[in-house]
Amino acid sequence: MEIRTLPVLLILLLLCSLPKAIAGTSIYKHVDKDGRITFTNRPINNAQKVSIASFSKSAEPNKSGLQPGVPRIKDTTQKERDVMRHQILEKELVTEEKLLTDTQNFLNQISNDRESGNYREKVIQLKNKLFLHRRNITAIKKELASL
């Protein structure tokens, strides 16, 4: 019995030590001459070693309740931004609804005029446009509801 359990115990021991080995690896950040950023676990010339703790989601917030490095803005500034965002979304919604109506009317007009040579192709294109406008309207309404 002991001979069979020994390999199993060794495998379990190796599996338990694997996360520690992975967590112990270093992360390097390299910025090339074009400004592209590369993160790797292999050292690169002119790369900076990055602290993994700085990327941890469990990092404790400071006394103000904000994560370190997160800029603080005034509540009034954020409210102004929210109002502006809401106005932009409302305009987008009106535009999308108008485009949907125009496309639907054009589709109805083409459907009545079946003599045109590219009838089927035009109908497919218009149906695709209708789908996109409906999808955009749904997304905008969802975004507006979340404000």
Side-chain angles (χ1 to χ4, degrees):
M1 256 333 214
E2 289 183 24
I3 296 175
R4 291 182 184 171
T5 58
L6 185 60
V8 172
L9 288 175
L10 285 174
I11 291 172
L12 287 174
L13 182 62
L14 287 173
L15 288 175
C16 289
S17 63
L18 185 62
K20 291 179 185 178
I22 291 171
T25 60
S26 299
I27 303 294
Y28 299 91
K29 177 183 175 184
H30 178 261
V31 181
D32 67 9
K33 63 182 179 183
D34 297 324
R36 289 183 293 237
I37 299 173
T38 303
F39 289 96
T40 180
N41 61 343
R42 297 182 186 151
I44 300 176
N45 289 339
N46 302 326
Q48 291 179 325
K49 190 171 182 178
V50 177
S51 170
I52 296 174
S54 65
F55 293 103
S56 173
K57 289 185 178 182
S58 63
E60 294 195 24
N62 59 19
K63 293 178 184 177
S64 67
L66 295 176
Q67 292 287 343
V70 176
R72 175 91 172 120
I73 59 171
K74 296 179 183 177
D75 289 339
T76 55
T77 303
Q78 186 59 48
K79 287 179 184 177
E80 290 171 2
R81 290 177 182 175
D82 289 343
V83 167
M84 186 184 313
R85 181 172 171 225
H86 193 273
Q87 291 171 346
I88 291 169
L89 287 170
E90 288 286 346
K91 288 178 184 176
E92 286 181 8
L93 179 61
V94 168
T95 301
E96 282 296 329
E97 288 175 337
K98 182 180 181 335
L99 289 170
L100 175 70
T101 303
D102 292 347
T103 305
Q104 182 68 52
N105 290 338
F106 192 63
L107 179 62
N108 292 339
Q109 183 182 6
I110 286 180
S111 296
N112 294 335
D113 183 25
R114 292 182 181 242
E115 295 177 10
S116 64
N118 297 331
Y119 167 75
R120 288 185 185 185
E121 186 176 316
K122 287 180 181 180
V123 169
I124 290 171
Q125 289 174 354
L126 288 171
K127 285 184 179 181
N128 288 338
K129 277 181 142 181
L130 284 174
F131 172 77
L132 290 174
H133 292 308
R134 286 185 182 124
R135 187 185 69 188
N136 289 344
I137 289 169
T138 301
I140 292 169
K141 284 181 178 180
K142 182 178 178 183
E143 190 72 23
L144 282 169
S146 70
L147 293 179

